[in-house]
Amino acid sequence: GMNPVACKAAIEKISAEAGLDVRVACVTGDDLMNKREELKSGGKLKQFHVEGSQEPLLPQDKPCLSFNAYLGALPIVKALQQGAQVVVTGRCADSALILAPLIFEFGWKASDYDLIATGSLGGHILECGCQCSGGNFTDWEQSCNSDFGGWENSGFPIIEFYKDGKMVVTKPEKTGGIVTWGTVAEQIVYEIHNPGEYILPDVVLDFRNVVLEENYGGKNRVLVTGAKGRPPTPFYKISSTYFDGYWIAAELVITGFDAKRKALAVGKAILGRSRKLLAAKKQDDFLATNLEVLGAEHTYGERALVTPREVVLRISVSHSSPAGIKIFGKEVAPSALAMAPGITGAGSGRPRPAPFVRHFGALIPKELVPISVLVGADFKDTQVYTPPEVTEEGEFEVIPLPRMSSVNLNVRLTKVPLIQICFGRSGDKGDVANIGIIAREERFYPWLCYNLTAERVHDFFKHFVKGTTTRYEMPGIRALNFVLTQSLGGGGLSSLNIDRQGKSY
């Protein structure tokens, strides 16, 4: 993990060696590793809920690897008020890095919730870098082939903020990439869950009525307005990981006739042989296994259409011991001689076991997290940052949405691919996939709402989704946001899937 105090010292040392006088600060207090058992046994932690499902707290029999709270912007503001030129923080919300200097520069109050929401939205837009200036964009060729070198010279996004909350997304002149209505809208819907209750340490942000204006004062300039904020909750989110055995992934290229069927047969045979050897050596069975045939539209489930002549078989397994993993690893290469024809390209050699790390979330009252701010060699402050007022669970104000235009079904209809009338972007939060779909034109939005229901999306992804699918409306940018729980095989480090982040959804 990161050591903010040591990082501060290293920056100061390098700066001094370069003849620079740089005032460096660090923010600590997020790392609660030494307090985790006390917090858990004392009933101080609260289970984290996503769409009605709750994540279990840390299992008693699993070694904890990290236990950090997501801090907000106010400790960084404190450092800036003490003249810090560089601030090193531990774990904090991504958007807090953008919000803090805005609070400091403009003198916003913690209770200016609409302004805090605007700054947080700006942080959300910027937090993934070039994803709002043409990266990961549906109309990728526009960005790839853009002026000034396209992707080879992608311009990192910039936001011009104003004290009244207005902001304009742009990028440096003479750089590649694009900043358009579509690129910014796609980033807004990225990994947000409920757009009416985007919970951050400093505010509860409402995206639903945010509106965009393209070419505001010139090309590659998008005006963003309409963010609304409510008091934050009394909790910080805890991000924690624990050790849960070992895992490994092996890949084989399989070519020729019946490539997919051969791949599945090879994968099942390798797993079968490995299980027999595990039993013979009195080893436990695998904790989990996963077979994927890449190139055969594996992620499409029963809707796969292609009959490929070249695929990649990916087999991943987890086991309680390295010895069990090694037994599997030794069975992969021999398949080229003992099994199907057309096997080649066994990845980068014999795979090796790696620790299998699982993630879990929890909530902790802010009053239990003292945060220290150290600036230079002459300032240290430790305090808890409790908000002036809070929004308790179940007390979120319901802001009504505009009434949706009705759909005229008495017209001649044409069936088109969704991409023809929509932008889209998908991502993850733990084991939850988030899919944002945005109508390219206002006239398409009522049809999008009418046809793209939560039930249809759930059915489309039923080969992945073990939980629920919920739809949220964002009429400001004519978007729908879908939240699919238990849909990534555990998500992130906890998943054996090739797409553990929902990027292909």
Side-chain angles (χ1 to χ4, degrees):
M2 185 172 141
N3 185 333
V5 176
C7 190
K8 172 182 181 293
I11 295 171
E12 290 170 331
K13 181 176 183 293
I14 293 170
S15 301
E17 291 172 351
L20 301 173
D21 183 16
V22 179
R23 191 160 169 80
V24 185
C26 69
V27 176
T28 61
D30 64 294
D31 188 349
L32 301 172
M33 187 73 167
N34 294 332
K35 299 180 180 179
R36 68 187 187 281
E37 291 303 329
E38 174 191 344
L39 291 167
K40 186 177 178 182
S41 61
K44 303 298 184 182
L45 299 180
K46 185 177 180 179
Q47 287 184 299
F48 186 68
H49 291 255
V50 178
E51 302 300 332
S53 63
Q54 61 185 26
E55 296 188 10
L57 296 177
L58 175 66
Q60 291 285 3
D61 59 338
K62 302 296 182 181
C64 186
L65 302 177
S66 65
F67 199 87
N68 297 76
Y70 277 94
L71 306 184
L74 296 182
I76 303 174
V77 175
K78 174 71 74 173
L80 295 173
Q81 290 171 340
Q82 296 300 318
Q85 296 165 290
V86 176
V87 182
V88 181
T89 80
R91 172 76 73 176
C92 71
D94 293 352
S95 56
L97 302 178
I98 303 300
L99 175 61
L102 297 175
I103 295 174
F104 170 71
E105 186 69 27
F106 293 141
W108 291 346
K109 298 177 182 178
S111 57
D112 292 335
Y113 297 120
D114 287 351
L115 294 174
I116 300 299
T118 297
S120 299
L121 173 58
H124 172 72
I125 291 171
L126 287 178
E127 68 189 19
C128 293
C130 292
Q131 275 198 175
C132 74
S133 56
N136 198 16
F137 183 45
T138 300
D139 296 345
W140 62 274
E141 288 181 289
Q142 291 182 18
S143 177
C144 176
N145 301 320
S146 57
D147 295 337
F148 303 108
W151 288 345
E152 295 179 21
N153 187 37
S154 290
F156 204 83
I158 297 169
I159 294 185
E160 300 169 1
F161 286 98
Y162 297 82
K163 188 173 183 177
D164 63 0
K166 183 176 75 172
M167 59 178 164
V168 179
V169 186
T170 184
K171 66 181 183 69
E173 295 183 3
K174 297 183 180 180
T175 60
I178 53 176
V179 177
T180 65
W181 191 98
T183 67
V184 176
E186 280 197 19
Q187 181 57 24
I188 287 175
V189 301
Y190 183 61
E191 298 181 345
I192 59 173
H193 288 193
N194 182 347
E197 296 177 1
Y198 188 68
I199 301 174
L200 295 166
D202 301 295
V203 71
V204 176
L205 172 57
D206 188 343
F207 293 85
R208 295 174 300 166
N209 291 310
V210 168
V211 294
L212 308 177
E213 182 181 336
E214 193 172 51
N215 296 327
Y216 182 80
K219 187 179 179 182
N220 289 312
R221 293 176 60 83
V222 176
L223 174 68
V224 184
T225 56
K228 304 294 289 183
R230 285 166 281 171
T233 75
F235 301 100
Y236 290 122
K237 180 184 177 183
I238 294 285
S239 174
S240 184
T241 57
Y242 64 91
F243 173 77
D244 193 25
Y246 298 85
W247 81 289
I248 198 172
E251 295 179 353
L252 293 168
V253 176
I254 299 180
T255 65
F257 63 93
D258 293 333
K260 178 180 178 179
R261 289 175 55 223
K262 287 190 296 186
L264 289 172
V266 168
K268 291 176 182 178
I270 291 174
L271 289 176
R273 281 185 54 81
S274 299
R275 283 192 164 107
K276 289 179 180 178
L277 291 170
L278 285 171
K281 294 180 179 294
K282 302 189 183 307
Q283 291 270 356
D284 292 336
D285 193 7
F286 296 116
L287 297 173
T289 65
N290 194 30
L291 283 181
E292 297 168 298
V293 182
L294 310 180
E297 297 191 352
H298 160 78
T299 58
Y300 288 82
E302 65 184 24
R303 289 177 170 81
L305 299 176
V306 300
T307 305
R309 294 179 293 175
E310 178 182 273
V311 299
V312 175
L313 169 64
R314 183 177 186 270
I315 317 171
S316 48
V317 302
S318 63
H319 195 272
S320 57
S321 75
I325 292 290
K326 289 178 180 177
I327 287 174
F328 164 80
K330 292 178 179 179
E331 291 304 309
V332 176
S335 66
L337 301 179
M339 297 183 188
I343 297 177
T344 184
S348 56
R350 181 175 292 171
R352 292 179 174 84
F356 194 51
V357 178
R358 292 191 182 273
H359 172 271
F360 76 94
L363 299 175
I364 182 172
K366 290 174 180 174
E367 63 195 44
L368 298 179
V369 185
I371 302 168
S372 295
V373 178
L374 177 64
V375 186
D378 59 359
F379 179 85
K380 183 174 182 180
D381 174 79
T382 301
Q383 62 175 288
V384 295
Y385 289 81
T386 53
E389 55 183 322
V390 298
T391 299
E392 298 286 356
E393 187 177 15
E395 294 182 357
F396 290 107
E397 177 188 358
V398 178
I399 302 173
L401 291 172
R403 192 167 184 177
M404 190 61 56
S405 302
S406 60
V407 173
N408 181 11
L409 299 175
N410 298 315
V411 293
R412 183 166 170 263
L413 302 178
T414 301
K415 189 174 182 179
V416 298
L418 190 61
I419 196 172
Q420 193 170 320
I421 62 170
C422 295
F423 300 109
R425 180 166 295 179
S426 60
D428 72 307
K429 280 286 191 297
D431 197 20
V432 180
N434 187 105
I435 306 172
I437 303 295
I438 309 157
R440 293 177 182 267
E441 299 177 25
E442 191 68 43
R443 64 193 176 108
F444 298 146
Y445 191 50
W447 287 98
L448 186 64
C449 295
Y450 178 78
N451 284 285
L452 204 59
T453 64
E455 292 73 21
R456 285 189 171 183
V457 172
H458 188 91
D459 182 67
F460 191 89
F461 289 98
K462 63 185 178 183
H463 52 294
F464 285 141
V465 182
K466 304 296 186 291
T468 62
T469 299
T470 306
R471 188 184 89 169
Y472 296 100
E473 297 174 6
M474 302 175 67
I477 55 171
R478 48 182 189 263
L480 298 176
N481 197 58
F482 296 90
V483 179
L484 289 62
T485 64
Q486 300 175 45
S487 59
L488 296 169
L493 297 174
S494 306
S495 176
L496 296 179
N497 294 357
I498 185 67
D499 184 3
R500 57 186 64 183
Q501 295 178 310
K503 300 297 186 183
S504 65
Y505 284 31

